[in-house]
């Protein structure tokens, strides 16, 4: 086995990239990067009936978006190619002949079976611990087909051959493959190879404890692209599904994950996917962005929503950075700052209508703001305080009607920030508009 750590991710292009597959790829990538090794991508595309070019591209696009760059594989090349199983038939034939020469395979009804060595096989898994399968009872462990009657090879055989040929040192994969490993160890022994270390990671479940299938909401990596999530946040959340930092911290950059990741810290129990927690992690990543980076990331969503992006867009975006969980929420959060036509929340409108003082408050605010000599936060605060005193109201009572007039919302950015961003004329116009709506 090579001294250099080599991990691999081997997806089948029969559907989109599942978050479970992405989590496996992430763990493989993190382990390789932490140990200064190589991360290999190979595509198990021997199922011609189900493979699609669209699915293949979805895998490449998903990994690229997540930042899981591969050192060897499609579009990169490498010394151990080809990296598509459909192009490796000659290699498989060569290894099959090794089994024939060693008298470890025999023909049975047109297919070829691998003759198990009838002994207990023990493996030490880096996550699951010691696992033993007793091959002495042939009724429980019948000899395994390695080549079908049509000449094609089964998963177990090509998987082992590829790992040997590509000098893979650590196989990190889902726990559903755990019971396959003793079969693979027998094959490796028969082929005279050196087995990689194995680490079988827990499966991902839905919030209700059921297995997360490809049909479940949130299961496709592609659904997160362009939907308001940042790649760093999804990577962060996927890392938390089955791995623990052994601290109270949950928010990490890719660099921090690389430094902290270890297979010893991977849990045995299944991980449950929580969409709310995933969105919360995304929010934490948005909060850690610089104002400039947040504005740049939010810009495409605002443009897609057909909202204008003016000169003060960066300042407007900064005003809502703490208010959104997803970048896709930015357009609606910003709408009232970018255009003058915006809806009023029903609950906010009902509250305004029920407030007997709302008319007097809006009139007093309008007069106070219209008479300001200098338009800034300090002078606006003082003017609003004076306006409240003039009608015998508390200063706090002025804020809700003003917020609804300016934004149509009951919550949002600091009012002084809104006043500064909108400017005097737009603020006065909006107060007048709300007054006219009240009648």
């Amino acid at each position: 086995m090579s001294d250099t750590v080599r991990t691999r991710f081997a997806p089948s292009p029969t559907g989109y990239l599942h978050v479970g597959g992405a989590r496996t790829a992430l763990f493989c990538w993190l382990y390789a990067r932490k140990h200064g090794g190589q991360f290999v991508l190979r595509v198990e595309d021997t199922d011609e009936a189900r493979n699609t070019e669209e699915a293949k591209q979805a895998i490449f696009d998903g990994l690229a978006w997540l930042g899981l760059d591969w050192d060897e594989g499609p579009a990169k090349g490498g010394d151990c190619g080809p990296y598509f199983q459909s192009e490796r038939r000659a290699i498989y034939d060569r290894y099959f002949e090794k089994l024939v020469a060693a008298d470890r395979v025999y023909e049975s009804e047109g297919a070829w079976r691998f003759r198990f060595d009838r002994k207990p096989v023990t493996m030490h898994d880096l996550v699951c611990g010691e696992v033993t399968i007793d091959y002495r009872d042939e009724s429980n462990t019948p000899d395994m087909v390695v080549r079908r009657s049509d000449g094609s090879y089964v998963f177990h055989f090509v998987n082992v051959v590829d790992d040997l040929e590509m000098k893979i040192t650590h196989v990190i994969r889902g726990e559903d493959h755990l019971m396959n490993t003793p079969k693979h160890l027998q094959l490796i022994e028969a082929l005279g190879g050196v087995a990689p270390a194995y680490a079988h990671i827990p499966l991902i479940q839905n919030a209700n404890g059921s297995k997360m299938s490809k049909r479940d909401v949130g299961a496709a990596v592609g659904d997160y692209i362009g939907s308001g999530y940042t790649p760093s946040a999804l990577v962060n959340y996927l890392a938390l599904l089955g791995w623990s930092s052994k601290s109270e911290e949950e928010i990490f950059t890719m660099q921090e994950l690389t430094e902290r990741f270890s297979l010893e810290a991977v849990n045995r129990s299944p991980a449950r996917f929580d969409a709310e927690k995933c969105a919360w992690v995304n929010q934490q990543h948005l909060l850690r962005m610089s104002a400039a980076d947040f504005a740049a990331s939010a810009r495409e969503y605002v443009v897609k929503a057909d909202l204008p992006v003016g000169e003060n867009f960066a300042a407007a975006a900064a005003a809502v950075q703490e208010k959104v969980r997803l970048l896709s929420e930015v357009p609606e959060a910003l709408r009232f700052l970018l255009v003058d036509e915006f809806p009023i929340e029903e609950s906010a409108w009902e509250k305004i209508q029920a407030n007997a003082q709302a008319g007097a408050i809006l009139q007093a605010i309008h007069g106070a703001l219209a008479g300001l000599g200098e338009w800034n936060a300090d002078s606006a605060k003082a003017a609003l305080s004076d306006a409240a005193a003039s009608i015998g109201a508390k200063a706090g009572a002025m804020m809700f009607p003003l917020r609804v007039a300016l934004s149509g919302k009951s919550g949002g950015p600091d009012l002084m920030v809104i006043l500064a961003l909108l400017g005097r004329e737009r603020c006065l116009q909006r107060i007048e508009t709300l007054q006219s709506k009240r009648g």
Side-chain angles (χ1 to χ4, degrees), residues 165-411:
E165 276 283 299
M166 296 180 182
K167 302 178 177 64
I168 301 303
T169 63
H170 293 77
V171 171
I172 303 170
R173 59 189 179 189
E175 198 174 27
D176 51 335
H177 285 292
L178 182 62
M179 289 299 103
N180 291 331
T181 304
K183 301 174 185 177
H184 297 178
L185 290 174
Q186 286 236 29
L187 276 169
I188 290 169
E189 184 180 36
L191 291 168
V194 178
Y198 289 92
H200 290 86
I201 58 181
L203 301 180
I204 297 177
Q205 297 178 339
N206 291 307
N208 63 6
S210 63
K211 182 180 178 180
M212 193 175 199
S213 73
K214 290 187 175 183
R215 295 180 297 277
D216 291 323
V217 175
V221 170
D223 290 346
Y224 295 87
I225 302 175
S227 65
Y229 288 85
T230 67
S232 64
L234 187 57
V235 161
N236 188 162
Y237 183 66
L238 290 177
L240 299 178
L241 294 176
W243 169 81
S244 170
S245 67
K246 305 300 182 184
S247 73
E248 296 298 315
E249 296 175 80
E250 293 187 292
I251 306 304
F252 303 100
T253 63
M254 184 71 96
Q255 181 61 38
E256 290 167 338
L257 286 173
T258 303
E259 292 169 358
R260 296 187 182 218
F261 183 78
S262 72
L263 291 172
E264 291 77 16
V266 174
N267 304 318
R268 278 297 315 272
S269 56
R272 293 198 177 188
F273 191 94
D274 183 338
E276 286 297 310
K277 179 67 175 287
C278 186
W280 176 82
V281 170
N282 195 73
Q283 183 179 37
Q284 303 312 302
H285 278 257
L286 296 183
L287 289 172
R288 290 186 175 200
M289 283 184 173
S290 68
D293 286 346
F294 177 79
S297 298
R299 188 184 186 96
E300 65 175 284
Y301 291 88
V302 173
V303 170
K304 195 187 301 182
D306 291 327
L307 291 173
V309 179
E311 291 181 5
N312 71 339
F313 176 73
V320 301
Q321 186 169 355
E322 296 183 359
K323 306 297 180 181
V324 298
R325 296 192 306 169
L326 308 175
L327 289 167
S328 54
E329 296 171 357
V330 172
E332 284 310 306
L334 273 185
R335 182 176 296 276
F336 75 95
L337 289 172
L338 304 179
V339 297
D340 292 319
E341 291 294 327
F342 52 84
I344 297 177
E345 291 177 355
E346 186 176 349
S347 59
W349 175 248
E350 289 174 354
K351 195 171 178 179
I352 288 290
Q353 288 291 73
N355 185 351
Q357 271 195 302
I361 289 172
L362 289 169
Q363 188 62 41
I365 291 173
H366 188 281
L369 296 181
L372 273 181
E374 188 176 352
W375 189 261
N376 58 49
D378 290 337
S379 61
K381 279 183 180 179
L384 291 172
S385 181
D386 291 343
S390 72
I391 60 172
K394 294 181 179 180
M398 313 293 279
M399 301 308 175
F400 186 77
L402 177 58
R403 179 176 293 282
V404 176
L406 300 183
S407 69
K409 300 175 183 291
S410 56

